[in-house]
PDB file of all heavy atoms in Angstrom:
ATOM      1  N   ALA A  61      -0.403  -0.254  -5.239  1.00  0.00           N
ATOM      2  CA  ALA A  61      -1.866  -0.346  -5.218  1.00  0.00           C
ATOM      3  C   ALA A  61      -2.313  -1.750  -4.805  1.00  0.00           C
ATOM      4  O   ALA A  61      -3.359  -1.909  -4.181  1.00  0.00           O
ATOM      5  CB  ALA A  61      -2.446  -0.001  -6.586  1.00  0.00           C
ATOM      6  N   VAL A  62      -1.513  -2.755  -5.135  1.00  0.00           N
ATOM      7  CA  VAL A  62      -1.833  -4.133  -4.730  1.00  0.00           C
ATOM      8  C   VAL A  62      -1.332  -4.379  -3.314  1.00  0.00           C
ATOM      9  O   VAL A  62      -2.080  -4.808  -2.434  1.00  0.00           O
ATOM     10  CB  VAL A  62      -1.217  -5.167  -5.699  1.00  0.00           C
ATOM     11  CG1 VAL A  62      -1.482  -6.586  -5.206  1.00  0.00           C
ATOM     12  CG2 VAL A  62      -1.750  -4.967  -7.100  1.00  0.00           C
ATOM     13  N   PHE A  63      -0.051  -4.090  -3.081  1.00  0.00           N
ATOM     14  CA  PHE A  63       0.548  -4.393  -1.785  1.00  0.00           C
ATOM     15  C   PHE A  63      -0.163  -3.680  -0.628  1.00  0.00           C
ATOM     16  O   PHE A  63      -0.287  -4.224   0.461  1.00  0.00           O
ATOM     17  CB  PHE A  63       2.032  -4.040  -1.778  1.00  0.00           C
ATOM     18  CG  PHE A  63       2.872  -4.972  -2.580  1.00  0.00           C
ATOM     19  CD1 PHE A  63       3.635  -4.513  -3.647  1.00  0.00           C
ATOM     20  CD2 PHE A  63       2.934  -6.334  -2.284  1.00  0.00           C
ATOM     21  CE1 PHE A  63       4.425  -5.379  -4.396  1.00  0.00           C
ATOM     22  CE2 PHE A  63       3.719  -7.214  -3.016  1.00  0.00           C
ATOM     23  CZ  PHE A  63       4.460  -6.725  -4.078  1.00  0.00           C
ATOM     24  N   ALA A  64      -0.643  -2.469  -0.863  1.00  0.00           N
ATOM     25  CA  ALA A  64      -1.302  -1.704   0.197  1.00  0.00           C
ATOM     26  C   ALA A  64      -2.707  -2.213   0.506  1.00  0.00           C
ATOM     27  O   ALA A  64      -3.237  -1.954   1.588  1.00  0.00           O
ATOM     28  CB  ALA A  64      -1.364  -0.223  -0.181  1.00  0.00           C
ATOM     29  N   GLN A  65      -3.310  -2.965  -0.418  1.00  0.00           N
ATOM     30  CA  GLN A  65      -4.710  -3.365  -0.256  1.00  0.00           C
ATOM     31  C   GLN A  65      -4.900  -4.849   0.055  1.00  0.00           C
ATOM     32  O   GLN A  65      -5.929  -5.234   0.589  1.00  0.00           O
ATOM     33  CB  GLN A  65      -5.499  -3.048  -1.540  1.00  0.00           C
ATOM     34  CG  GLN A  65      -5.348  -1.655  -2.078  1.00  0.00           C
ATOM     35  CD  GLN A  65      -5.712  -0.575  -1.095  1.00  0.00           C
ATOM     36  OE1 GLN A  65      -6.546  -0.751  -0.216  1.00  0.00           O
ATOM     37  NE2 GLN A  65      -5.057   0.569  -1.203  1.00  0.00           N
ATOM     38  N   ILE A  66      -3.929  -5.667  -0.278  1.00  0.00           N
ATOM     39  CA  ILE A  66      -4.137  -7.120  -0.222  1.00  0.00           C
ATOM     40  C   ILE A  66      -4.232  -7.614   1.221  1.00  0.00           C
ATOM     41  O   ILE A  66      -3.483  -7.205   2.092  1.00  0.00           O
ATOM     42  CB  ILE A  66      -3.034  -7.859  -1.013  1.00  0.00           C
ATOM     43  CG1 ILE A  66      -3.448  -9.312  -1.284  1.00  0.00           C
ATOM     44  CG2 ILE A  66      -1.681  -7.741  -0.319  1.00  0.00           C
ATOM     45  CD1 ILE A  66      -2.587  -9.982  -2.351  1.00  0.00           C
ATOM     46  N   SER A  67      -5.177  -8.490   1.450  1.00  0.00           N
ATOM     47  CA  SER A  67      -5.370  -9.093   2.767  1.00  0.00           C
ATOM     48  C   SER A  67      -4.337 -10.212   2.976  1.00  0.00           C
ATOM     49  O   SER A  67      -3.949 -10.877   2.010  1.00  0.00           O
ATOM     50  CB  SER A  67      -6.785  -9.684   2.834  1.00  0.00           C
ATOM     51  OG  SER A  67      -6.927 -10.557   3.922  1.00  0.00           O
ATOM     52  N   PRO A  68      -3.906 -10.433   4.202  1.00  0.00           N
ATOM     53  CA  PRO A  68      -2.953 -11.526   4.454  1.00  0.00           C
ATOM     54  C   PRO A  68      -3.468 -12.887   3.980  1.00  0.00           C
ATOM     55  O   PRO A  68      -2.676 -13.751   3.622  1.00  0.00           O
ATOM     56  CB  PRO A  68      -2.783 -11.503   5.972  1.00  0.00           C
ATOM     57  CG  PRO A  68      -3.146 -10.131   6.395  1.00  0.00           C
ATOM     58  CD  PRO A  68      -4.205  -9.666   5.413  1.00  0.00           C
ATOM     59  N   ASP A  69      -4.794 -13.068   3.963  1.00  0.00           N
ATOM     60  CA  ASP A  69      -5.379 -14.333   3.521  1.00  0.00           C
ATOM     61  C   ASP A  69      -5.723 -14.335   2.031  1.00  0.00           C
ATOM     62  O   ASP A  69      -6.281 -15.306   1.534  1.00  0.00           O
ATOM     63  CB  ASP A  69      -6.643 -14.639   4.331  1.00  0.00           C
ATOM     64  CG  ASP A  69      -6.343 -14.831   5.807  1.00  0.00           C
ATOM     65  OD1 ASP A  69      -5.261 -15.364   6.130  1.00  0.00           O
ATOM     66  OD2 ASP A  69      -7.179 -14.425   6.627  1.00  0.00           O
ATOM     67  N   GLY A  70      -5.417 -13.250   1.349  1.00  0.00           N
ATOM     68  CA  GLY A  70      -5.741 -13.124  -0.063  1.00  0.00           C
ATOM     69  C   GLY A  70      -6.964 -12.251  -0.278  1.00  0.00           C
ATOM     70  O   GLY A  70      -7.779 -12.070   0.626  1.00  0.00           O
ATOM     71  N   SER A  71      -7.065 -11.695  -1.461  1.00  0.00           N
ATOM     72  CA  SER A  71      -8.165 -10.796  -1.803  1.00  0.00           C
ATOM     73  C   SER A  71      -8.632 -11.084  -3.225  1.00  0.00           C
ATOM     74  O   SER A  71      -7.840 -11.480  -4.072  1.00  0.00           O
ATOM     75  CB  SER A  71      -7.706  -9.329  -1.733  1.00  0.00           C
ATOM     76  OG  SER A  71      -7.242  -8.997  -0.453  1.00  0.00           O
ATOM     77  N   ARG A  72      -9.898 -10.844  -3.462  1.00  0.00           N
ATOM     78  CA  ARG A  72     -10.417 -10.923  -4.822  1.00  0.00           C
ATOM     79  C   ARG A  72      -9.967  -9.700  -5.595  1.00  0.00           C
ATOM     80  O   ARG A  72      -9.793  -8.615  -5.036  1.00  0.00           O
ATOM     81  CB  ARG A  72     -11.946 -10.986  -4.816  1.00  0.00           C
ATOM     82  CG  ARG A  72     -12.475 -12.298  -4.298  1.00  0.00           C
ATOM     83  CD  ARG A  72     -13.960 -12.336  -4.461  1.00  0.00           C
ATOM     84  NE  ARG A  72     -14.491 -13.578  -3.917  1.00  0.00           N
ATOM     85  CZ  ARG A  72     -15.769 -13.898  -3.956  1.00  0.00           C
ATOM     86  NH1 ARG A  72     -16.641 -13.078  -4.510  1.00  0.00           N
ATOM     87  NH2 ARG A  72     -16.177 -15.035  -3.452  1.00  0.00           N
ATOM     88  N   LEU A  73      -9.801  -9.869  -6.879  1.00  0.00           N
ATOM     89  CA  LEU A  73      -9.365  -8.781  -7.737  1.00  0.00           C
ATOM     90  C   LEU A  73     -10.305  -7.587  -7.641  1.00  0.00           C
ATOM     91  O   LEU A  73      -9.866  -6.438  -7.553  1.00  0.00           O
ATOM     92  CB  LEU A  73      -9.261  -9.261  -9.189  1.00  0.00           C
ATOM     93  CG  LEU A  73      -8.727  -8.200 -10.122  1.00  0.00           C
ATOM     94  CD1 LEU A  73      -7.255  -8.472 -10.431  1.00  0.00           C
ATOM     95  CD2 LEU A  73      -9.508  -8.135 -11.390  1.00  0.00           C
ATOM     96  N   THR A  74     -11.609  -7.843  -7.643  1.00  0.00           N
ATOM     97  CA  THR A  74     -12.576  -6.746  -7.590  1.00  0.00           C
ATOM     98  C   THR A  74     -12.455  -5.962  -6.283  1.00  0.00           C
ATOM     99  O   THR A  74     -12.617  -4.745  -6.268  1.00  0.00           O
ATOM    100  CB  THR A  74     -14.017  -7.271  -7.748  1.00  0.00           C
ATOM    101  OG1 THR A  74     -14.240  -8.325  -6.789  1.00  0.00           O
ATOM    102  CG2 THR A  74     -14.263  -7.790  -9.148  1.00  0.00           C
ATOM    103  N   GLU A  75     -12.150  -6.666  -5.189  1.00  0.00           N
ATOM    104  CA  GLU A  75     -11.972  -6.001  -3.904  1.00  0.00           C
ATOM    105  C   GLU A  75     -10.717  -5.126  -3.927  1.00  0.00           C
ATOM    106  O   GLU A  75     -10.725  -3.987  -3.456  1.00  0.00           O
ATOM    107  CB  GLU A  75     -11.863  -7.049  -2.794  1.00  0.00           C
ATOM    108  CG  GLU A  75     -11.581  -6.487  -1.423  1.00  0.00           C
ATOM    109  CD  GLU A  75     -11.308  -7.587  -0.401  1.00  0.00           C
ATOM    110  OE1 GLU A  75     -11.215  -8.768  -0.772  1.00  0.00           O
ATOM    111  OE2 GLU A  75     -11.152  -7.224   0.770  1.00  0.00           O
ATOM    112  N   LEU A  76      -9.625  -5.656  -4.489  1.00  0.00           N
ATOM    113  CA  LEU A  76      -8.393  -4.876  -4.603  1.00  0.00           C
ATOM    114  C   LEU A  76      -8.642  -3.612  -5.429  1.00  0.00           C
ATOM    115  O   LEU A  76      -8.208  -2.525  -5.056  1.00  0.00           O
ATOM    116  CB  LEU A  76      -7.284  -5.696  -5.256  1.00  0.00           C
ATOM    117  CG  LEU A  76      -6.708  -6.855  -4.453  1.00  0.00           C
ATOM    118  CD1 LEU A  76      -5.755  -7.672  -5.324  1.00  0.00           C
ATOM    119  CD2 LEU A  76      -6.000  -6.350  -3.218  1.00  0.00           C
TER     120      LEU A  76
END
Side-chain angles (χ1 to χ4, degrees):
V62 176
F63 288 120
Q65 310 304 331
I66 195 165
S67 165
D69 297 326
S71 300
R72 289 186 182 182
L73 184 102
T74 52
E75 176 187 7
L76 291 172

